[in-house]
Amino acid sequence: MAYALAAVVSFSLTACGGGREYAVPEQACGITVDRTTLDPFLPDGEKIEVVGGSLVETGEDTRGHCEIRVDGKRAVYLRVGKVDKLYDPMDEVDAFRFTNREKMSGLPFPGEGALGDAAAMVNTGCTAPGAAYLSVLVTVDGTADDGVAERRKNIEAFTFDFVPEVKKALGCTV
């Protein structure tokens, strides 16, 4: 009886106190994702869904994009563009995407990157059919309770894991 009562109380506290009632996905938008680097951007909630198309299979379109939503609210936005040259995300044309933009250093692959309080953009070589270079944009919900410095660190870690997976999925040789 005591165990049954403890289980009911535990369930009640979980239901009232929020919590995460979904599993962090292993794939999103046609790309394998590292669950540990994606996890910090996913809030407590009941339902997770991936909305949008594949980042890899885009048909005639040169861009693919999708969102990861929790309870209908966007938590992560991902976009991959196949481009003809290496663009620097520190150029003024991309400034609107960032708050407190800084150049990313220490990329674990050749390319250019920029990091902001809720976004990262990396442009890198690809050399695959239909893609000489890739432009990868990661945007997260900037209202999370975590501190900005921690969020920036987490965005960078996710991006460093995500971009090589995109390149692998597209068959990039560079």
Side-chain angles (χ1 to χ4, degrees), residues 8-132:
V8 169
V9 169
S10 175
F11 177 75
S12 298
L13 290 175
T14 301
C16 292
R20 186 178 292 170
E21 297 180 25
Y22 60 87
V24 177
E26 293 179 3
Q27 283 213 343
C29 320
I31 306 294
T32 300
V33 293
D34 182 332
R35 295 167 75 174
T36 59
T37 60
L38 176 60
D39 183 76
F41 309 114
L42 302 177
D44 290 347
E46 295 178 11
K47 180 181 175 190
I48 189 166
E49 62 184 327
V50 178
V51 178
S54 170
L55 298 175
V56 179
E57 302 296 327
T58 59
E60 296 294 317
D61 198 348
T62 59
R63 285 187 293 185
H65 58 89
C66 73
E67 297 179 358
I68 300 171
R69 296 180 183 173
V70 175
D71 295 341
K73 184 178 182 216
R74 183 170 79 180
V76 180
Y77 172 79
L78 303 168
R79 188 193 79 196
V80 174
K82 300 169 190 168
V83 295
D84 59 350
K85 68 178 190 173
L86 186 67
Y87 294 92
D88 185 350
M90 289 299 291
D91 286 346
E92 281 309 304
V93 70
D94 288 311
F96 74 96
R97 300 181 194 283
F98 302 93
T99 302
N100 300 316
R101 179 175 59 158
E102 294 179 351
K103 185 171 185 68
M104 289 176 96
S105 59
L107 294 174
F109 41 79
E112 300 289 334
L115 177 67
D117 291 351
M121 185 176 207
V122 170
N123 294 323
T124 184
C126 181
T127 315

Side-chain angles (χ1 to χ4, degrees), residues 132-149:
Y133 298 92
L134 298 178
S135 177
V136 179
L137 175 66
V138 174
T139 304
V140 302
D141 177 16
T143 61
D145 292 335
D146 60 348
V148 173

